Structures are given as structure tokens and as C-alpha cells.
Amino acid sequence: MFEARKRVFVDLLKWDLPVLADRFEVDHFDDPFATYLIVSDARGEHLASARLLPTTRPALLDGLFPHLVSGPVPNGAAIFEITRFCLSPGVGARQRRVARDTLLVGLVDHALAHGITTYTGVAELSWFRQVQDFGWRCRMLGETAIHDGRALVALAISIEADTLARLAEAGIVAAGTGVPAKAA
């Protein structure tokens, strides 16, 4: 997962992030309080992952991007921040779509199982528009702002009893993968 994050966020997207041993993208939020949802193939190879940070502790939105939020940054025991949503490069478009959908369903399953009612995050505007189309209730928390040449927004995703059905209506299902998203 950390290798895939390096390939995506450092090598491909050119983000200025710490790299361990010239191989792993790891930062100070990768601590014992982070939860990882990881989708892998039958051989255990990383296909997709996301890091969840409790908002009762410092996270990216309140620490680095509070200016993206109109009003106070959402926090609480039922609110987690999604960061490092990562799809492995080098796999085919169909497998990436299945992995993405499995991860999205896993995020909702995890939230419902753990009393999480809201996910927050920071996204480039183009990615935010895709996230809105997944079928869940997603909204901007403030205005778009330019950061390092990228248009960024803060977002909140409401997780409700019907969220899985809403994703399915939008065509996002994990069926047929045989690979459930797992929390680590």
C-alpha cells in the first residue's frame, strides 16, 4: 500500500511528500490511530486503499486545510477523514473500476459497522465531482481554493442506512470481485 501511494502521489501526481527508503510514501498521520481499508487481488497485491483518520485527533483538514471550510472543521467520534484514496497504477481499467467500487462499498460497510456518520476529506475539484456522482450524499464544506496550482475543496460525505443502496443505484457494487475490502 505504501509503495502504491508513493507511485501515485509522489511519482505520478508530483506531490511533495515524505518518502521512506525511496520506496514508501509515509507521513506522520500513518500512526497507530489511522485505519486502513485495503483491497487486494488473490495474490495479496494492492489494488486500492484508503486511510481513515479520526477527527478527534489532528488530521489533514484541520491541520493543513482549515481555510477550505466555511465555519468550524467538522470533528467528533462519528466523523472520520478519508485520506490517501489510492488506486494502484499499472492495472487495467476494468480491474481498477472493480477495486474502486469494492473500496467504496468497504468504506460504507466500515462506517456502518463502526458508528461513523460522516467522512470528511480534501479533494481536487475534478475528483470531488466524481465523488459526488458515486450516489452518496456529498457536499462541499466551503469554497474552492487554489493550493500549489490545484483547485481544492473540503467535502463531507453522509453515511446513512440507505447509502449502500444509493451507491448500487449509481452502479457501484462490490459483487463479483471475490475480494472484500478489509480494515487494517
Side-chain angles (χ1 to χ4, degrees):
M1 174 189 67
F2 295 113
E3 287 178 312
R5 283 176 29 182
K6 192 247 184 208
R7 288 193 311 267
V8 169
F9 299 113
V10 176
D11 298 342
L12 182 67
L13 297 176
K14 307 295 184 202
W15 291 6
D16 183 19
L17 300 171
V19 175
L20 181 64
D22 200 33
R23 188 172 165 196
F24 307 107
E25 188 276 305
V26 179
D27 67 19
H28 66 284
F29 294 111
D30 292 303
D31 64 20
F33 299 97
T35 299
Y36 302 94
L37 296 182
I38 303 168
V39 178
S40 60
D41 64 16
R43 297 182 323 266
E45 297 293 322
H46 176 276
L47 296 175
S49 58
R51 177 178 65 186
L52 303 177
L53 302 175
T55 60
T56 54
R57 300 180 41 78
L60 288 166
L61 187 54
D62 68 336
L64 300 174
F65 299 103
H67 60 280
L68 295 176
V69 180
S70 298
V73 174
N75 65 54
I79 303 171
F80 275 68
E81 186 174 314
I82 299 174
T83 67
R84 299 303 196 266
F85 191 100
C86 179
L87 301 175
S88 283
V91 297
R94 183 171 181 227
Q95 189 177 22
R96 284 172 57 88
R97 170 70 190 260
V98 170
R100 183 204 71 183
D101 288 1
T102 300
L103 182 56
L104 292 171
V105 169
L107 284 163
V108 176
D109 283 341
H110 178 78
L112 293 171
H114 292 91
I116 298 169
T117 60
T118 306
Y119 284 127
T120 59
V122 176
E124 288 192 39
L125 185 58
S126 60
W127 176 237
F128 170 75
R129 290 182 177 136
Q130 290 179 50
V131 170
Q132 282 185 304
D133 291 340
F134 292 157
W136 47 24
R137 290 182 176 92
C138 178
R139 62 186 172 84
M140 289 175 54
L141 293 172
E143 298 297 319
T144 303
I146 303 301
H147 179 81
D148 289 339
R150 297 175 290 142
L152 300 181
V153 300
L155 60 95
I157 300 165
S158 297
I159 303 297
E160 301 152 330
D162 70 340
T163 301
L164 285 174
R166 295 171 63 82
L167 265 63
E169 287 173 15
I172 295 174
V173 294
T177 65
V179 183
K182 297 178 182 175

